[in-house]
Amino acid sequence: MNNAAPAPARTRGRPRGNPPTREAIVSAARALFLERGYRRTTVRAVAAVADVDPALIAYHFGSKKGLFAEVMQFQCANALAVDDVLGGDPATLPDRLIDAVTDLWEDADFVQLTARGDEAAEVIREYLERELLARLVEFLGGRDATARATAVVTILGGLIYTRYLNPLPTPAALTPSQTRHILTPALLAALSPRPRTATATGAGRRSSPAAG
């Protein structure tokens, strides 16, 4: 007679105790997305690799699309590590920004993930807006920080679009070093504080008392 107690059933819904981390689930999903592609990767397959109940994935990520977005965000964060990019010499910030973008987009795993198309592009847009743009505004500071950060992200977005998403022959043919050489002056200009406009200066003069 077998008196061994049955193995406890895996609980569903909100995790209790010490559940597997989000990072473990993302790691399993990333491996499967790379191996099988988006369409052939199922939530159940990810759950099996991560050794969790599928409901736990639904709880954390909502859906396969949400899980894929998390994987893409993880890839972006690894390459476009904002703290590292912003933490060096301000004079070479344009170089670090361009290198981060080209390193990310020329990584074989990332290229394979971006083959998903619309979902990948949506995640990249969100990352540029919520992470890079917001952090740049905070980093630059001052009255024109949002305008300067917007100019920087616009240049980098143009680089991504014309070199990778919908490549034009000329930008796509450049090496990363050539890309850096061409775009660094534009990024330096974008990062520079804006002079006060003539209108604002004139208004200030009109508000001053007339000279006697």
Side-chain angles (χ1 to χ4, degrees), residues 88-159:
D89 183 356
T92 56
L93 176 57
D95 291 346
R96 293 195 301 278
L97 287 166
I98 295 169
D99 286 346
V101 169
T102 56
D103 287 350
L104 173 65
W105 280 89
E106 295 183 22
D107 175 77
D109 286 351
F110 187 75
V111 170
Q112 189 170 340
L113 288 172
T114 58
R116 180 55 191 160
D118 290 345
E119 283 85 352
E122 181 179 343
V123 173
I124 293 160
R125 285 195 299 269
E126 289 181 0
Y127 191 84
L128 290 174
E129 174 76 18
R130 297 181 183 179
E131 296 294 328
L132 185 56
L133 178 59
R135 293 293 303 281
L136 269 173
V137 171
E138 180 183 353
F139 173 78
L140 293 172
R143 59 180 177 80
D144 58 358
T146 299
R148 293 157 66 192
T150 299
V152 169
V153 172
T154 299
I155 293 169
L156 295 177
L159 168 62

Coordinates of all heavy atoms in Angstrom, one line a residue, residues 88-159:
G88 N 27.8 59.0 -18.2 CA 29.2 59.3 -18.6 C 29.5 60.7 -18.8 O 28.7 61.6 -18.4
D89 N 30.5 61.0 -19.6 CA 30.9 62.3 -19.9 C 29.9 63.0 -20.8 O 29.5 62.5 -21.8 CB 32.3 62.3 -20.7 CG 32.8 63.6 -21.0 OD1 32.2 64.6 -20.8 OD2 33.9 63.7 -21.6
P90 N 29.3 64.1 -20.4 CA 28.3 64.8 -21.2 C 28.8 65.1 -22.6 O 27.9 65.1 -23.5 CB 28.0 66.1 -20.4 CG 28.4 65.8 -19.0 CD 29.6 64.9 -19.1
A91 N 30.0 65.3 -22.8 CA 30.5 65.7 -24.2 C 30.4 64.5 -25.1 O 30.3 64.7 -26.3 CB 32.0 66.1 -24.1
T92 N 30.4 63.3 -24.6 CA 30.3 62.1 -25.5 C 28.9 61.4 -25.4 O 28.7 60.3 -25.9 CB 31.4 61.1 -25.1 OG1 31.3 60.7 -23.8 CG2 32.7 61.6 -25.4
L93 N 27.9 62.1 -24.8 CA 26.6 61.6 -24.7 C 26.0 61.3 -26.1 O 25.4 60.2 -26.3 CB 25.6 62.6 -24.0 CG 24.2 62.2 -23.9 CD1 24.0 60.8 -23.3 CD2 23.4 63.3 -23.1
P94 N 26.1 62.1 -27.1 CA 25.6 61.7 -28.5 C 26.2 60.4 -29.0 O 25.4 59.6 -29.5 CB 26.0 62.9 -29.4 CG 26.1 64.0 -28.4 CD 26.7 63.5 -27.2
D95 N 27.5 60.2 -28.8 CA 28.1 58.9 -29.2 C 27.4 57.7 -28.5 O 27.1 56.7 -29.1 CB 29.6 58.9 -28.9 CG 30.3 59.9 -29.8 OD1 29.8 60.4 -30.8 OD2 31.5 60.2 -29.5
R96 N 27.2 57.9 -27.2 CA 26.7 56.8 -26.4 C 25.2 56.5 -26.8 O 24.8 55.3 -26.8 CB 26.7 57.1 -24.9 CG 28.2 57.1 -24.3 CD 28.2 57.0 -22.8 NE 27.5 58.1 -22.2 CZ 28.0 59.3 -22.0 NH1 29.2 59.6 -22.4 NH2 27.3 60.2 -21.4
L97 N 24.5 57.5 -27.1 CA 23.1 57.3 -27.5 C 23.0 56.6 -28.9 O 22.3 55.6 -29.0 CB 22.4 58.7 -27.7 CG 22.0 59.4 -26.4 CD1 21.6 60.8 -26.7 CD2 20.8 58.7 -25.7
I98 N 23.8 57.0 -29.8 CA 23.8 56.3 -31.1 C 24.4 54.9 -31.0 O 23.8 54.0 -31.6 CB 24.7 57.1 -32.1 CG1 24.0 58.5 -32.4 CG2 24.8 56.4 -33.4 CD1 24.9 59.5 -33.1
D99 N 25.4 54.7 -30.2 CA 26.0 53.3 -30.0 C 24.9 52.4 -29.4 O 24.8 51.2 -29.8 CB 27.2 53.4 -29.2 CG 28.4 53.9 -29.9 OD1 28.4 54.0 -31.2 OD2 29.4 54.3 -29.3
A100 N 24.2 52.9 -28.4 CA 23.2 52.1 -27.8 C 22.1 51.7 -28.8 O 21.7 50.5 -28.8 CB 22.5 52.9 -26.6
V101 N 21.7 52.6 -29.6 CA 20.7 52.2 -30.6 C 21.2 51.2 -31.7 O 20.5 50.2 -32.0 CB 20.1 53.5 -31.3 CG1 19.3 53.1 -32.6 CG2 19.4 54.4 -30.4
T102 N 22.4 51.5 -32.2 CA 22.9 50.6 -33.2 C 23.3 49.2 -32.6 O 23.1 48.2 -33.3 CB 24.1 51.2 -33.9 OG1 25.1 51.6 -33.0 CG2 23.7 52.4 -34.7
D103 N 23.8 49.2 -31.4 CA 24.1 47.9 -30.7 C 22.9 47.1 -30.6 O 22.9 45.9 -30.8 CB 24.8 48.1 -29.4 CG 26.2 48.6 -29.5 OD1 26.8 48.6 -30.6 OD2 26.8 49.0 -28.5
L104 N 21.8 47.7 -30.1 CA 20.5 47.0 -29.9 C 20.0 46.5 -31.2 O 19.6 45.3 -31.3 CB 19.5 48.0 -29.3 CG 18.0 47.4 -29.2 CD1 18.0 46.3 -28.2 CD2 17.1 48.5 -28.7
W105 N 19.9 47.3 -32.3 CA 19.3 46.9 -33.5 C 20.2 46.0 -34.4 O 19.7 45.4 -35.3 CB 18.9 48.1 -34.3 CG 17.6 48.7 -33.8 CD1 17.4 49.6 -32.8 CD2 16.3 48.3 -34.2 NE1 16.1 49.8 -32.6 CE2 15.4 49.1 -33.4 CE3 15.8 47.4 -35.1 CZ2 14.0 48.9 -33.5 CZ3 14.4 47.3 -35.3 CH2 13.5 48.1 -34.5
E106 N 21.4 45.9 -34.0 CA 22.3 44.9 -34.8 C 22.6 43.7 -34.0 O 23.4 42.9 -34.4 CB 23.5 45.7 -35.3 CG 23.1 46.8 -36.3 CD 24.2 47.6 -36.9 OE1 25.3 47.1 -36.9 OE2 23.9 48.7 -37.4
D107 N 21.9 43.5 -32.9 CA 22.0 42.3 -32.1 C 21.1 41.2 -32.8 O 19.9 41.5 -33.0 CB 21.5 42.5 -30.7 CG 21.5 41.2 -29.9 OD1 22.6 40.8 -29.5 OD2 20.4 40.7 -29.6
A108 N 21.6 40.1 -33.0 CA 20.9 39.1 -33.8 C 19.6 38.6 -33.1 O 18.5 38.5 -33.7 CB 21.8 37.8 -34.0
D109 N 19.6 38.5 -31.8 CA 18.4 38.1 -31.1 C 17.3 39.2 -31.2 O 16.1 38.9 -31.3 CB 18.7 37.8 -29.6 CG 19.5 36.5 -29.4 OD1 19.6 35.7 -30.4 OD2 20.0 36.3 -28.3
F110 N 17.7 40.4 -31.0 CA 16.7 41.5 -31.1 C 16.1 41.6 -32.5 O 14.9 41.8 -32.6 CB 17.4 42.8 -30.7 CG 16.4 44.0 -30.6 CD1 15.6 44.1 -29.5 CD2 16.3 44.9 -31.6 CE1 14.7 45.1 -29.4 CE2 15.4 46.0 -31.5 CZ 14.6 46.0 -30.4
V111 N 16.9 41.4 -33.5 CA 16.4 41.4 -34.9 C 15.4 40.3 -35.1 O 14.3 40.5 -35.7 CB 17.6 41.3 -35.9 CG1 17.0 41.1 -37.3 CG2 18.5 42.5 -35.9
Q112 N 15.7 39.2 -34.5 CA 14.7 38.1 -34.6 C 13.4 38.4 -33.9 O 12.3 38.1 -34.4 CB 15.3 36.8 -34.1 CG 14.5 35.5 -34.3 CD 15.3 34.3 -34.0 OE1 16.5 34.3 -33.9 NE2 14.6 33.2 -33.8
L113 N 13.5 39.0 -32.7 CA 12.3 39.4 -32.0 C 11.5 40.4 -32.8 O 10.2 40.4 -32.7 CB 12.6 39.9 -30.6 CG 13.1 38.8 -29.6 CD1 13.6 39.5 -28.4 CD2 12.0 37.8 -29.3
T114 N 12.1 41.4 -33.4 CA 11.4 42.5 -34.1 C 10.7 42.0 -35.3 O 9.9 42.8 -35.9 CB 12.4 43.6 -34.4 OG1 13.4 43.1 -35.3 CG2 13.0 44.3 -33.2
A115 N 11.0 40.8 -35.7 CA 10.3 40.3 -36.9 C 8.8 40.2 -36.7 O 8.0 40.0 -37.6 CB 10.8 38.9 -37.3
R116 N 8.4 40.3 -35.4 CA 6.9 40.3 -35.1 C 6.2 41.5 -35.6 O 5.0 41.6 -35.8 CB 6.7 40.2 -33.6 CG 5.3 40.1 -33.1 CD 4.5 39.0 -33.8 NE 3.1 39.1 -33.5 CZ 2.1 38.6 -34.3 NH1 2.5 37.9 -35.3 NH2 0.9 38.7 -34.0
G117 N 6.9 42.6 -36.0 CA 6.4 43.7 -36.7 C 5.7 44.7 -35.8 O 6.3 45.4 -35.0
D118 N 4.3 44.8 -35.9 CA 3.6 45.8 -35.2 C 3.7 45.8 -33.7 O 3.9 46.8 -33.1 CB 2.1 45.7 -35.5 CG 1.8 46.1 -37.0 OD1 2.7 46.7 -37.6 OD2 0.7 45.8 -37.5
E119 N 3.7 44.6 -33.1 CA 3.9 44.5 -31.7 C 5.2 45.0 -31.2 O 5.4 45.7 -30.2 CB 3.7 43.0 -31.2 CG 2.2 42.6 -31.1 CD 1.7 42.1 -32.5 OE1 2.5 42.2 -33.5 OE2 0.6 41.6 -32.5
A120 N 6.3 44.6 -32.0 CA 7.6 45.1 -31.6 C 7.7 46.6 -31.8 O 8.3 47.3 -30.9 CB 8.6 44.4 -32.6
A121 N 7.2 47.2 -32.8 CA 7.3 48.6 -33.0 C 6.5 49.4 -31.9 O 7.0 50.4 -31.5 CB 6.7 49.0 -34.4
E122 N 5.4 48.8 -31.5 CA 4.6 49.5 -30.4 C 5.5 49.5 -29.1 O 5.5 50.5 -28.4 CB 3.3 48.7 -30.2 CG 2.5 49.3 -29.1 CD 1.2 48.5 -28.9 OE1 0.8 47.7 -29.8 OE2 0.5 48.7 -27.9
V123 N 6.1 48.4 -28.8 CA 7.0 48.4 -27.6 C 8.1 49.4 -27.7 O 8.4 50.1 -26.7 CB 7.5 47.0 -27.3 CG1 8.5 47.0 -26.2 CG2 6.4 46.0 -27.0
I124 N 8.7 49.5 -28.8 CA 9.9 50.4 -29.0 C 9.4 51.8 -28.9 O 10.1 52.7 -28.2 CB 10.5 50.1 -30.4 CG1 11.2 48.8 -30.4 CG2 11.6 51.2 -30.7 CD1 11.4 48.2 -31.8
R125 N 8.2 52.1 -29.5 CA 7.7 53.5 -29.3 C 7.5 53.8 -27.8 O 7.8 54.9 -27.4 CB 6.4 53.6 -30.1 CG 6.5 53.7 -31.6 CD 5.2 54.2 -32.2 NE 4.1 53.3 -32.0 CZ 3.8 52.3 -32.8 NH1 4.5 52.1 -33.9 NH2 2.8 51.5 -32.5
E126 N 6.9 52.9 -27.1 CA 6.6 53.1 -25.7 C 7.9 53.3 -24.9 O 8.0 54.1 -24.0 CB 5.8 52.0 -25.1 CG 4.4 51.9 -25.6 CD 3.6 50.8 -25.0 OE1 4.2 50.0 -24.2 OE2 2.4 50.6 -25.3
Y127 N 8.9 52.5 -25.3 CA 10.2 52.6 -24.5 C 10.8 54.0 -24.8 O 11.3 54.6 -23.8 CB 11.2 51.5 -24.9 CG 12.4 51.4 -24.0 CD1 12.3 50.7 -22.8 CD2 13.5 52.1 -24.3 CE1 13.4 50.7 -22.0 CE2 14.6 52.1 -23.5 CZ 14.5 51.4 -22.3 OH 15.6 51.3 -21.4
L128 N 10.8 54.4 -26.0 CA 11.4 55.7 -26.3 C 10.7 56.8 -25.6 O 11.3 57.8 -25.1 CB 11.4 56.0 -27.8 CG 12.4 55.1 -28.7 CD1 12.2 55.3 -30.1 CD2 13.8 55.4 -28.3
E129 N 9.4 56.8 -25.6 CA 8.6 57.8 -24.9 C 8.6 57.8 -23.4 O 8.9 58.8 -22.8 CB 7.1 57.7 -25.4 CG 6.1 58.6 -24.7 CD 6.2 60.0 -25.3 OE1 6.8 60.2 -26.4 OE2 5.7 60.9 -24.6
R130 N 8.4 56.6 -22.8 CA 8.3 56.5 -21.4 C 9.6 56.4 -20.7 O 9.7 56.9 -19.5 CB 7.4 55.3 -21.0 CG 6.0 55.4 -21.5 CD 5.2 54.2 -21.1 NE 3.9 54.2 -21.7 CZ 3.0 53.2 -21.5 NH1 3.3 52.2 -20.8 NH2 1.8 53.3 -22.0
E131 N 10.6 55.8 -21.3 CA 11.9 55.7 -20.6 C 12.9 56.7 -21.0 O 13.3 57.5 -20.3 CB 12.4 54.3 -20.8 CG 11.6 53.2 -20.3 CD 11.5 53.2 -18.7 OE1 12.5 53.6 -18.1 OE2 10.5 52.8 -18.2
L132 N 13.2 56.7 -22.3 CA 14.3 57.6 -22.8 C 13.9 59.0 -22.7 O 14.7 59.9 -22.2 CB 14.8 57.1 -24.2 CG 16.0 57.9 -24.7 CD1 17.2 57.8 -23.8 CD2 16.3 57.4 -26.1
L133 N 12.8 59.4 -23.3 CA 12.4 60.8 -23.3 C 12.2 61.3 -21.9 O 12.7 62.4 -21.6 CB 11.1 60.9 -24.2 CG 10.5 62.3 -24.3 CD1 11.5 63.3 -24.9 CD2 9.2 62.4 -25.0
A134 N 11.5 60.6 -21.1 CA 11.2 61.1 -19.7 C 12.5 61.3 -19.0 O 12.7 62.2 -18.2 CB 10.3 60.1 -19.0
R135 N 13.4 60.3 -19.1 CA 14.7 60.4 -18.4 C 15.5 61.5 -18.9 O 16.3 62.2 -18.1 CB 15.4 59.0 -18.4 CG 14.7 57.9 -17.7 CD 14.7 58.2 -16.2 NE 16.0 58.3 -15.6 CZ 16.8 57.3 -15.4 NH1 16.4 56.1 -15.6 NH2 18.0 57.5 -14.9
L136 N 15.5 61.7 -20.2 CA 16.3 62.8 -20.8 C 15.8 64.2 -20.3 O 16.6 65.1 -20.0 CB 16.2 62.8 -22.3 CG 17.3 62.0 -23.0 CD1 17.0 61.9 -24.5 CD2 18.7 62.6 -22.8
V137 N 14.5 64.3 -20.2 CA 13.9 65.6 -19.7 C 14.4 65.8 -18.3 O 14.9 66.9 -17.9 CB 12.4 65.5 -19.7 CG1 11.8 66.7 -19.0 CG2 11.9 65.5 -21.1
E138 N 14.4 64.8 -17.4 CA 14.9 64.9 -16.1 C 16.4 65.2 -16.0 O 16.8 66.1 -15.2 CB 14.6 63.6 -15.3 CG 15.0 63.6 -13.9 CD 14.7 62.3 -13.2 OE1 14.1 61.4 -13.8 OE2 15.2 62.1 -12.1
F139 N 17.1 64.6 -16.9 CA 18.6 64.7 -16.9 C 19.0 66.1 -17.4 O 19.9 66.8 -16.8 CB 19.2 63.7 -17.8 CG 20.6 63.8 -18.1 CD1 21.6 63.4 -17.2 CD2 21.1 64.4 -19.3 CE1 22.9 63.5 -17.4 CE2 22.5 64.5 -19.6 CZ 23.4 64.1 -18.6
L140 N 18.3 66.6 -18.4 CA 18.7 67.9 -19.0 C 18.3 69.1 -18.1 O 19.0 70.0 -17.9 CB 18.1 68.1 -20.4 CG 18.6 67.1 -21.4 CD1 17.8 67.2 -22.7 CD2 20.1 67.4 -21.7
G141 N 17.1 69.0 -17.6 CA 16.6 70.1 -16.7 C 16.4 71.4 -17.4 O 16.8 71.5 -18.6
G142 N 15.8 72.4 -16.7 CA 15.7 73.7 -17.3 C 14.4 73.9 -18.1 O 13.7 73.0 -18.3
R143 N 14.2 75.1 -18.5 CA 12.9 75.5 -19.1 C 12.7 74.8 -20.5 O 11.6 74.6 -20.9 CB 12.9 77.0 -19.3 CG 14.0 77.5 -20.2 CD 14.0 79.0 -20.4 NE 15.2 79.4 -21.2 CZ 15.3 79.3 -22.5 NH1 14.2 78.8 -23.2 NH2 16.4 79.7 -23.2
D144 N 13.8 74.4 -21.2 CA 13.6 73.9 -22.5 C 14.0 72.4 -22.6 O 14.3 71.8 -23.6 CB 14.5 74.6 -23.5 CG 16.0 74.6 -23.1 OD1 16.3 74.1 -22.1 OD2 16.8 75.2 -23.9
A145 N 14.0 71.7 -21.4 CA 14.4 70.3 -21.3 C 13.5 69.4 -22.2 O 14.0 68.5 -22.9 CB 14.4 69.8 -19.9
T146 N 12.2 69.7 -22.2 CA 11.3 68.8 -23.0 C 11.6 69.0 -24.5 O 11.6 68.0 -25.2 CB 9.9 69.1 -22.6 OG1 9.6 68.9 -21.2 CG2 8.9 68.3 -23.5
A147 N 11.8 70.2 -24.9 CA 12.1 70.4 -26.3 C 13.4 69.8 -26.8 O 13.4 69.2 -27.8 CB 12.1 72.0 -26.6
R148 N 14.4 69.9 -25.9 CA 15.7 69.3 -26.3 C 15.6 67.8 -26.3 O 16.1 67.1 -27.2 CB 16.7 69.8 -25.3 CG 17.0 71.3 -25.4 CD 17.6 71.8 -24.1 NE 18.9 71.2 -23.8 CZ 19.5 71.4 -22.6 NH1 18.9 72.0 -21.6 NH2 20.7 70.9 -22.4
A149 N 14.9 67.2 -25.3 CA 14.8 65.7 -25.2 C 14.0 65.2 -26.4 O 14.3 64.2 -27.0 CB 14.2 65.3 -23.9
T150 N 12.9 66.0 -26.8 CA 12.1 65.6 -27.9 C 12.9 65.6 -29.2 O 12.8 64.7 -30.0 CB 10.9 66.5 -28.0 OG1 10.1 66.5 -26.8 CG2 10.0 66.2 -29.2
A151 N 13.7 66.6 -29.3 CA 14.6 66.6 -30.5 C 15.5 65.4 -30.6 O 15.7 64.8 -31.7 CB 15.4 67.9 -30.6
V152 N 16.1 65.1 -29.5 CA 17.0 63.9 -29.4 C 16.3 62.6 -29.8 O 16.7 61.8 -30.6 CB 17.6 63.8 -28.0 CG1 18.4 62.4 -27.9 CG2 18.6 64.9 -27.8
V153 N 15.1 62.4 -29.2 CA 14.4 61.2 -29.4 C 13.9 61.1 -30.9 O 13.8 60.0 -31.5 CB 13.2 61.0 -28.4 CG1 12.3 59.8 -28.8 CG2 13.8 60.8 -27.0
T154 N 13.5 62.3 -31.4 CA 13.1 62.3 -32.8 C 14.2 61.9 -33.8 O 14.0 61.1 -34.7 CB 12.6 63.7 -33.2 OG1 11.5 64.1 -32.4 CG2 12.2 63.8 -34.6
I155 N 15.4 62.4 -33.5 CA 16.6 62.0 -34.3 C 16.8 60.5 -34.2 O 17.0 59.8 -35.2 CB 17.8 62.8 -33.9 CG1 17.7 64.2 -34.2 CG2 19.1 62.2 -34.6 CD1 18.7 65.1 -33.6
L156 N 16.8 59.9 -33.0 CA 17.0 58.5 -32.8 C 15.9 57.7 -33.4 O 16.2 56.6 -34.0 CB 17.2 58.2 -31.3 CG 18.4 58.8 -30.6 CD1 18.3 58.5 -29.1 CD2 19.7 58.4 -31.2
G157 N 14.7 58.2 -33.3 CA 13.6 57.5 -33.9 C 13.7 57.5 -35.4 O 13.4 56.4 -36.1
G158 N 14.2 58.5 -36.0 CA 14.4 58.6 -37.4 C 15.5 57.6 -37.8 O 15.4 56.9 -38.9
L159 N 16.5 57.5 -37.0 CA 17.6 56.5 -37.3 C 17.0 55.1 -37.3 O 17.3 54.3 -38.2 CB 18.7 56.6 -36.2 CG 19.7 55.5 -36.1 CD1 20.5 55.4 -37.4 CD2 20.7 55.7 -34.9

